[in-house]
C-alpha cells in the first residue's frame, strides 16, 4: 500500500475498472494482501467521501475510513456478490460506521455536559445550603437572646436537648404550668423574631 495519502483524491479519477472487484474481494477473503491493496486503492476515496459527509471532521473521518477499510479486510468472506456490488457493500459499511461515530461523539458530549451541569448545580446547592443554614443559626441565636432567661432555658432544653415539659420543669425546679406558659410565650416571640408566618 504505497499511496501517499490513504484518503486523498482518487488518482484514477474514478476510472478504476470495478467489474473485477468481486474477484478481488474473493482473493481478499483468502488473505491475499496484494488483492487488499488493489481493493484499498479502489475503495478508499469512496469510503472517505461518504464518511466525511457524515462526520465532517477531517481527522475523525480519516480514522473512521481506516476502520471501514479494516472491516472490509476482516469481513471479506461475508461479502456475497448476489446481494450487492462491492462498492455498495463498502458504502453501506462506511455510512453505518460514520453514523455510529457521530452518535458516539454526541452521546459523549451530552454525558460531559450533563456531568458538568450536575457538578455545577451540586456545588452551588451545597454552598447555598451552608450559607442558609449559617444565617438561620445566627438568626436563631440572636432571637434566643431576646427571650427571658426562663424562656430561653425552657426552649433550649425542649428543642435542643429533647426534654419533655415535665423534665424541663424538674430541671428548672419550676411548676409545670409555668414552664408550659413560658415555653409557649418564648416560641411565639421566636416565631415573630424569625419572621415565620402561620
Amino acid at each position: 500500500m504505497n499511496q501517499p495519502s490513504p484518503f486523498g483524491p482518487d488518482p484514477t479519477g474514478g476510472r478504476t475498472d470495478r467489474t473485477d472487484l468481486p474477484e478481488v474481494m474473493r482473493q481478499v477473503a483468502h488473505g491475499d494482501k496484494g488483492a487488499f491493496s488493489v481493493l484499498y486503492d479502489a475503495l478508499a476515496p469512496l469510503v472517505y467521501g461518504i464518511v466525511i459527509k457524515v462526520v465532517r471532521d477531517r481527522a475523525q473521518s480519516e480514522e473512521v475510513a481506516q476502520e471501514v477499510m479494516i472491516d472490509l479486510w476482516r469481513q471479506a468472506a461475508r461479502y456475497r456478490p448476489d446481494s450487492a456490488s462491492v462498492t455498495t457493500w463498502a458504502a453501506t459499511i462506511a455510512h453505518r460506521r460514520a453514523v455510529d461515530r457521530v452518535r458516539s461523539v454526541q452521546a459523549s458530549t451530552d454525558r460531559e455536559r450533563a456531568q458538568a451541569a450536575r457538578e455545577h448545580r451540586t456545588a452551588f446547592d451545597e454552598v447555598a445550603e451552608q450559607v442558609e443554614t449559617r444565617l438561620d443559626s445566627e438568626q436563631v441565636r440572636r432571637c434566643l437572646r431576646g427571650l427571658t432567661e426562663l424562656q430561653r432555658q425552657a426552649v433550649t432544653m425542649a428543642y435542643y436537648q429533647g426534654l419533655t415539659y415535665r423534665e424541663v420543669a424538674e430541671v428548672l425546679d419550676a411548676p409545670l404550668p409555668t414552664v408550659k406558659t413560658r415555653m409557649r410565650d418564648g416560641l411565639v416571640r421566636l416565631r415573630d423574631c424569625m419572621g415565620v408566618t402561620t
Side-chain angles (χ1 to χ4, degrees):
M1 291 183 262
N2 298 322
Q3 62 279 354
S5 171
F7 301 109
D10 185 348
T12 66
R15 294 186 310 272
T16 303
D17 180 9
R18 299 185 192 282
T19 56
D20 63 345
L21 285 182
E23 175 58 25
V24 172
M25 282 298 293
R26 191 186 65 73
Q27 293 170 7
V28 170
H30 288 96
D32 186 330
K33 291 181 182 176
F36 181 67
S37 182
V38 171
L39 185 73
Y40 193 101
D41 291 342
L43 296 181
L46 167 78
V47 166
Y48 180 73
I50 290 168
V51 171
I52 198 157
K53 282 181 183 172
V54 177
V55 176
R56 299 196 181 275
D57 176 82
R58 183 179 174 89
Q60 284 195 48
S61 295
E62 288 179 0
E63 190 178 303
V64 172
Q66 197 71 358
E67 291 170 4
V68 171
M69 297 310 296
I70 291 169
D71 279 351
L72 294 178
W73 168 261
R74 290 180 179 158
Q75 298 180 30
R78 293 183 183 177
Y79 172 68
R80 296 291 172 263
D82 53 342
S83 298
S85 69
V86 173
T87 53
T88 302
W89 187 62
T92 303
I93 293 173
H95 187 264
R96 189 178 308 130
R97 274 276 191 170
V99 169
D100 287 348
R101 173 60 65 95
V102 170
R103 286 178 179 159
S104 174
V105 168
Q106 186 60 51
S108 177
T109 301
D110 291 347
R111 279 193 303 274
E112 288 170 9
R113 284 182 183 156
Q115 181 63 28
R118 277 194 302 273
E119 287 171 2
H120 175 73
R121 188 166 52 247
T122 300
F124 174 79
D125 289 349
E126 286 175 1
V127 170
E129 189 175 321
Q130 288 172 0
V131 168
E132 192 175 329
T133 301
R134 171 172 249 151
L135 289 175
D136 286 349
S137 297
E138 288 173 6
Q139 187 176 11
V140 167
R141 280 195 291 275
R142 183 177 53 78
C143 290
L144 279 171
R145 285 194 295 269
L147 302 180
T148 67
E149 183 64 24
L150 185 59
Q151 287 172 337
R152 184 170 47 254
Q153 287 176 334
V155 168
T156 301
M157 289 179 189
Y159 288 94
Y160 292 103
Q161 297 173 12
L163 301 181
T164 64
Y165 287 140
R166 189 172 300 282
E167 290 169 334
V168 170
E170 289 173 6
V171 170
L172 294 178
D173 194 25
L176 181 59
T178 302
V179 167
K180 285 183 176 180
T181 301
R182 295 294 180 266
M183 197 175 297
R184 186 190 67 235
D185 292 346
L187 290 174
V188 168
R189 288 179 69 177
L190 269 180
R191 184 194 66 203
D192 293 344
C193 178
M194 298 280 295
V196 177
T197 57
T198 55

